[in-house]
Amino acid sequence: MVSNPQAPTTDESSNRTVTVPLGDRSYPIRITSACICGQEGRGADVGILTDAAADVTHWVLIVDEAVSNRWATPIGKALDSIGDTVRVNVIEVPSGETSKSVESIGGIWNQMLNLGTDRRSVVVAVGGGVVGDLAGFAAATFARGVRFVQVPTTLLAMVDSSVGGKTGINLPGAKNMVGAFWQPEAVWIDTDVLATLPDRTYRSGLGEVVKYGVIDDAKFFDWLVDNADGLVRRDADALRYAIAASCESKARVVGADERETSGRRAILNYGHTFAHAIEATTGYGTWLHGEAVAIGMQMAARLAIRIGMCDADLLKRQSDLLAACQLPTTMDTADIDAMLTVMQRDKKVAHGKLRFILPSRIGHVDLVSDIDRNDVIASIEQTIGKA
Amino acid sequence: MVSNPQAPTTDESSNRTVTVPLGDRSYPIRITSACICGQEGRGADVGILTDAAADVTHWVLIVDEAVSNRWATPIGKALDSIGDTVRVNVIEVPSGETSKSVESIGGIWNQMLNLGTDRRSVVVAVGGGVVGDLAGFAAATFARGVRFVQVPTTLLAMVDSSVGGKTGINLPGAKNMVGAFWQPEAVWIDTDVLATLPDRTYRSGLGEVVKYGVIDDAKFFDWLVDNADGLVRRDADALRYAIAASCESKARVVGADERETSGRRAILNYGHTFAHAIEATTGYGTWLHGEAVAIGMQMAARLAIRIGMCDADLLKRQSDLLAACQLPTTMDTADIDAMLTVMQRDKKVAHGKLRFILPSRIGHVDLVSDIDRNDVIASIEQTIGKA
Ligand SMILES: NC(=O)c1ccc[n+]([C@@H]2O[C@H](COP(=O)([O-])OP(=O)(O)OC[C@H]3O[C@@H](n4cnc5c(N)ncnc54)[C@H](O)[C@@H]3O)[C@@H](O)[C@H]2O)c1
Ligand SMILES: NC(=O)c1ccc[n+]([C@@H]2O[C@H](COP(=O)([O-])OP(=O)(O)OC[C@H]3O[C@@H](n4cnc5c(N)ncnc54)[C@H](O)[C@@H]3O)[C@@H](O)[C@H]2O)c1
Ligand SMILES: [Zn+2]
Ligand SMILES: [Zn+2]
């Protein structure tokens, strides 16, 4: 739970830190504003990076080409100016999901080799979830593991993919099929980088933010209701608070189930069984991930109501908040048979029975097995074509 | 230390088990004879595999094509006959170091996907160090980690590469540059498979066996002196004992330094700084790895004598044992300048100063820094052209 739910101040102390509690692999998430572009002509303040790892002789920035000039270059320059004992290299990666491939990891490994990467190097991922997953996997496997820092540049990467240590690439037809658990030394989130993010991509990230309110943190949900406008406007203070609260929730869940063995991590999949089915059956890209999650949470809430697990008020409150975040809460049509086929294949299906993460109240979800197929169909139908 | 240094018996109880002590990642190394080919017409006794992992629905054998028919097929058949609830697939890999490449790991990942590999699958590596490293890396990374069992088929893989959890592949010009630490559920060593191993490859593995005697286990060294003939003849009883003692030594070192962070694991590199320089400067393949290690240990022993760390008797005893194992103790010529260049690049060099693992007595080595270049040169020269 976030300790200070009041509107944050704008001075230095408004920077926030969340700790991911993983024993000797614990690490800080530092949430700042105006530190990458620098204030008053100063360069980037890379203290968060240099504090994160001792005895560094070499920084390898792995960078989404879309953010390279504007956001990675100042970081590289500031690291370079530390002195002659430190080398800085930049590896640019084309934007988009296709960069999470066997070919691109092969290319990155070879570039890291040619750049003389070793145990005293640190990989810095500058980009969204794609670059974070790819660079993290490169760090996990080069020389059997080098240190790693994340600088996420999308809202989704800030509140989701940068926390939890999952790294990896896709195989043809299978997302995230190859990878490793590899925790970073630190995550540095500067809200300024969101300035260049397209509207729809930005708002899609809010879908995951709302998710944390529903699954884990009723107080945060209330805060979101009061501050949705500020978030949509990308207000820096509101953003730092919302990002910190989201990371707190995810960090707590990950701390309890680092390697996805106890089942606790499954609660992060609220709305996602439906969302994956929506994404797969409408063709990836029709809905952005966070948009599909928004619609999927609506379906899940209706399913919970149908089986008597929560009341209709939860759906209304969730629906109002999603709308305030300018996220979709409905879709025009759905291929329900195709969606069911995808859901049967989903990891959340054990022995052919459908399992879902469903809310009992705002701030709490449970894993429910043995869900009747007809209830699933009805929940999808009720979510189609509604305003 | 091995508990029973007497000649082992040939009955059932002559099977040996060594435990690799790694907390909740601890695992057994089972050392048997006549269990893969089966006795009296029975098929392979795969109890060691089925005991190693619970709740298995799928075995994926990754197999060196050179051992496929003779040694992997009986294992696959026996696993297949367990029943309808279990699937068995075989992925064959071409023999040789080139299979430890980005291309082959990409191919294996895709095959694992097409075979429906998931968290209830177990990868079984059947082959030498090449297939063990490759299959281990595939297991470490597919679905962020699936279970893994090693069935090593070379003596080197039995006493070295199967123990310690290092997995990985090569990059062009850089051996083992990409990989992961990933411990198997179990290692199953059946000495019968050594029957098909070429003489030189077999004896090369004895180089690493002698190494354990020198670095860690004086009693084992004495046993080797008495039993070298039996080992050269590939006597099954002698082999099980020597393999168990070697694995005990390596397991103890690895248990104290699982991820190569404390420096303890470095003692396993006795003879290896010289050996890597010999291999690199003579062209890989001129000397087999274990042969280069034998010559390298001679150079290291001479270096230890030069700096007053041990007496000449150690060199004589090591030299006699290597000769009794029909391993080389000398080479005709050496490009000493080129060897020094390689050694400077070697990981064991800190800040340009040469560091070596050197013996103080049989059964004990230390890491020695700040070695004088001229002593290194003299130790190499003394090892050239000598009988
Ligand atoms: N590791 C995890 O736990 C985890 C969790 C969730 C998602 N993911 C992965 O994350 C990926 C999706 O992440 P994403 O939504 O960040 O996608 P992304 O990395 O593809 O970024 C989305 C788009 O925004 C662009 N972009 C990024 N930052 C920008 C900025 N500041 N200004 C302008 N444009 C910018 C990118 O070039 C890209 O075109 C998927 O591959 C998914 O599998 C991983
Ligand atoms: N992971 C580790 O800790 C570790 C330690 C040492 C070495 N290694 C790696 O191990 C590899 C070398 O291992 P290796 O010496 O076993 O090489 P290898 O796997 O290439 O096997 C040597 C040769 O013997 C053949 N062969 C294997 N078993 C046979 C059998 N029973 N009968 C007939 N032929 C057989 C193979 O086809 C190959 O041609 C290197 O890649 C090295 O990097 C890893
Ligand atoms: Zn998501
Ligand atoms: Zn070796």
Side-chain angles (χ1 to χ4, degrees):
Chain A
M1 217 69 56
V2 174
S3 46
N4 167 21
Q6 282 84 46
T9 56
T10 49
D11 60 40
E12 270 284 306
S13 68
S14 68
N15 292 346
R16 291 173 178 276
T17 299
V18 174
T19 301
V20 185
L22 294 168
D24 57 5
R25 284 181 303 287
S26 295
Y27 60 90
I29 302 171
R30 306 228 185 260
I31 303 158
T32 66
S33 297
C35 276
I36 286 185
C37 58
Q39 282 165 317
E40 295 151 22
R42 280 186 280 129
D45 178 0
V46 291
I48 292 170
L49 300 184
T50 51
D51 287 352
D55 202 22
V56 181
T57 56
H58 184 204
W59 298 92
V60 182
L61 278 58
I62 302 185
V63 175
D64 186 321
E65 59 178 14
V67 301
S68 186
N69 288 342
R70 181 74 183 268
W71 305 117
T73 300
I75 296 174
K77 271 197 185 143
L79 289 172
D80 229 351
S81 70
I82 291 173
D84 291 346
T85 54
V86 176
R87 290 186 301 128
V88 180
N89 292 118
V90 177
I91 298 176
E92 274 196 22
V93 172
S95 301
E97 190 71 29
T98 50
S99 279
K100 274 175 62 175
S101 67
V102 176
E103 291 67 39
S104 56
I105 191 76
I108 286 177
W109 283 331
N110 280 317
Q111 286 182 75
M112 289 173 76
L113 174 66
N114 295 334
L115 297 172
T117 307
D118 64 20
R119 296 272 179 96
R120 296 172 75 192
S121 307
V122 174
V123 170
V124 184
V126 187
V130 163
V131 161
D133 284 8
L134 176 67
F137 187 52
T141 51
F142 191 87
R144 289 192 209 93
V146 298
R147 291 169 296 176
F148 170 50
V149 176
Q150 297 249 32
V151 184
T153 64
T154 66
L155 183 55
L156 182 125
M158 291 172 179
V159 299
D160 191 354
S161 61
S162 298
V163 188
K166 284 190 184 177
T167 71
I169 58 173
N170 305 325
L171 294 180
K175 269 196 61 133
N176 301 323
M177 197 39 96
V178 164
F181 287 96
W182 194 246
Q183 303 294 347
E185 303 298 309
V187 177
W188 176 19
I189 295 173
D190 193 272
T191 58
D192 278 21
V193 302
L194 296 174
T196 52
L197 203 62
D199 258 347
R200 222 182 128 191
T201 313
Y202 172 78
R203 286 197 307 263
S204 166
L206 291 177
E208 303 279 357
V209 172
V210 171
K211 181 188 80 177
Y212 294 113
V214 180
I215 67 173
D216 184 58
D217 190 342
K219 243 167 97 184
F220 179 46
F221 188 95
D222 292 340
W223 182 93
L224 284 170
V225 170
D226 293 340
N227 292 274
D229 290 355
L231 282 181
V232 169
R233 271 189 282 109
R234 311 190 193 192
D235 175 77
D237 292 340
L239 266 170
R240 284 196 306 281
Y241 181 78
I243 292 166
S246 299
C247 289
E248 287 268 4
S249 282
K250 181 149 184 190
R252 195 162 18 195
V253 174
V254 167
D257 183 18
E258 183 179 2
R259 284 176 162 262
E260 212 159 32
T261 43
S262 79
R264 178 72 191 154
R265 238 174 131 135
I267 73 162
L268 299 170
N269 286 321
Y270 174 54
H272 279 63
T273 301
F274 289 110
H276 293 151
I278 293 169
E279 292 178 274
T281 57
T282 57
Y284 285 93
T286 303
W287 296 103
L288 297 184
H289 175 68
E291 296 170 341
V293 169
I295 301 168
M297 291 192 291
Q298 294 289 94
M299 294 173 180
R302 289 201 168 90
L303 185 50
I305 294 169
R306 289 192 74 80
I307 67 166
M309 203 171 144
C310 70
D311 57 30
D313 182 55
L314 184 146
L315 175 66
K316 174 158 176 25
R317 293 176 66 203
Q318 174 179 283
S319 170
D320 289 348
L321 177 54
L322 292 172
C325 293
Q326 303 187 9
L327 280 161
T329 55
T330 176
M331 52 200 288
D332 288 340
T333 55
D335 183 341
I336 297 183
D337 282 345
M339 281 181 68
L340 282 165
T341 305
V342 173
M343 287 191 268
Q344 313 268 17
R345 272 205 313 257
D346 195 293
K347 274 180 282 195
K348 269 75 66 190
V349 178
H351 311 291
K353 284 167 192 155
L354 287 162
R355 296 198 290 176
F356 288 87
I357 303 293
L358 298 180
S360 56
R361 58 176 191 273
I362 295 286
H364 188 84
V365 287
D366 282 311
L367 177 66
V368 186
S369 307
D370 266 324
I371 293 283
D372 191 307
R373 203 183 139 90
N374 291 322
D375 285 326
V376 178
I377 293 171
S379 306
I380 298 174
E381 279 171 345
Q382 289 172 350
T383 309
I384 297 175
K386 298 282 153 58
Chain B
M1 217 69 54
V2 174
S3 46
N4 167 21
Q6 282 84 46
T9 56
T10 48
D11 60 39
E12 271 283 307
S13 67
S14 68
N15 293 345
R16 291 173 179 276
T17 299
V18 173
T19 301
V20 185
L22 295 167
D24 59 4
R25 284 182 304 288
S26 295
Y27 60 90
I29 303 171
R30 306 226 186 262
I31 303 157
T32 66
S33 297
C35 276
I36 286 185
C37 57
Q39 281 164 318
E40 294 151 22
R42 282 185 279 126
D45 177 1
V46 291
I48 292 170
L49 300 183
T50 52
D51 287 352
D55 204 21
V56 181
T57 56
H58 184 206
W59 299 91
V60 182
L61 277 58
I62 303 185
V63 175
D64 185 321
E65 61 179 13
V67 302
S68 187
N69 288 343
R70 180 75 183 267
W71 305 117
T73 300
I75 296 174
K77 271 197 184 144
L79 289 171
D80 229 353
S81 70
I82 290 172
D84 290 347
T85 54
V86 177
R87 290 186 302 127
V88 180
N89 291 119
V90 176
I91 298 176
E92 274 195 23
V93 172
S95 301
E97 190 72 28
T98 49
S99 279
K100 274 175 61 176
S101 68
V102 176
E103 293 67 40
S104 58
I105 191 75
I108 286 178
W109 283 332
N110 280 317
Q111 287 182 75
M112 289 173 75
L113 174 66
N114 295 335
L115 297 172
T117 306
D118 65 20
R119 296 272 179 98
R120 295 172 74 193
S121 307
V122 175
V123 170
V124 184
V126 187
V130 163
V131 160
D133 283 7
L134 176 68
F137 187 53
T141 51
F142 191 87
R144 289 192 208 92
V146 297
R147 291 169 294 176
F148 170 49
V149 176
Q150 298 249 31
V151 184
T153 65
T154 65
L155 182 55
L156 183 126
M158 291 172 179
V159 299
D160 191 354
S161 61
S162 299
V163 188
K166 285 190 184 176
T167 70
I169 58 173
N170 306 325
L171 295 179
K175 269 197 60 133
N176 301 322
M177 197 40 97
V178 165
F181 286 96
W182 194 247
Q183 303 294 348
E185 303 298 309
V187 176
W188 176 19
I189 295 172
D190 194 90
T191 58
D192 278 21
V193 302
L194 297 174
T196 53
L197 202 62
D199 257 346
R200 223 181 126 189
T201 312
Y202 172 77
R203 285 197 308 261
S204 166
L206 292 177
E208 302 280 358
V209 172
V210 170
K211 180 188 80 177
Y212 293 113
V214 180
I215 67 173
D216 184 58
D217 191 342
K219 240 167 99 184
F220 179 45
F221 188 95
D222 292 340
W223 182 94
L224 285 170
V225 170
D226 293 340
N227 292 274
D229 289 355
L231 282 181
V232 170
R233 271 188 281 109
R234 310 191 193 191
D235 175 75
D237 293 339
L239 266 170
R240 285 197 305 281
Y241 181 78
I243 293 166
S246 299
C247 290
E248 287 268 3
S249 281
K250 180 149 185 190
R252 196 165 17 198
V253 174
V254 167
D257 183 17
E258 182 178 2
R259 284 176 162 263
E260 213 160 33
T261 43
S262 79
R264 179 72 190 152
R265 240 175 129 134
I267 72 162
L268 299 169
N269 286 321
Y270 174 54
H272 279 63
T273 301
F274 288 110
H276 292 152
I278 293 170
E279 291 179 275
T281 56
T282 57
Y284 284 94
T286 303
W287 295 104
L288 298 183
H289 176 68
E291 295 170 342
V293 170
I295 300 168
M297 291 192 292
Q298 293 289 94
M299 294 173 179
R302 288 200 170 90
L303 185 50
I305 294 169
R306 289 192 73 81
I307 66 166
M309 203 172 143
C310 70
D311 57 30
D313 181 57
L314 184 147
L315 174 66
K316 172 153 177 31
R317 292 176 65 201
Q318 174 180 283
S319 169
D320 288 348
L321 177 54
L322 291 171
C325 292
Q326 304 188 6
L327 281 161
T329 55
T330 177
M331 52 200 288
D332 286 342
T333 54
D335 183 340
I336 297 181
D337 282 345
M339 282 180 66
L340 281 165
T341 306
V342 173
M343 288 191 269
Q344 314 269 16
R345 273 204 314 257
D346 195 293
K347 274 180 281 193
K348 270 75 68 188
V349 179
H351 311 292
K353 283 167 194 158
L354 287 162
R355 296 197 292 175
F356 288 87
I357 303 294
L358 299 180
S360 55
R361 58 175 192 274
I362 295 287
H364 189 83
V365 288
D366 282 312
L367 177 67
V368 186
S369 308
D370 265 325
I371 293 283
D372 191 306
R373 208 183 136 88
N374 291 322
D375 285 325
V376 177
I377 293 171
S379 307
I380 298 174
E381 279 172 346
Q382 290 173 348
T383 308
I384 297 174
K386 298 282 154 58

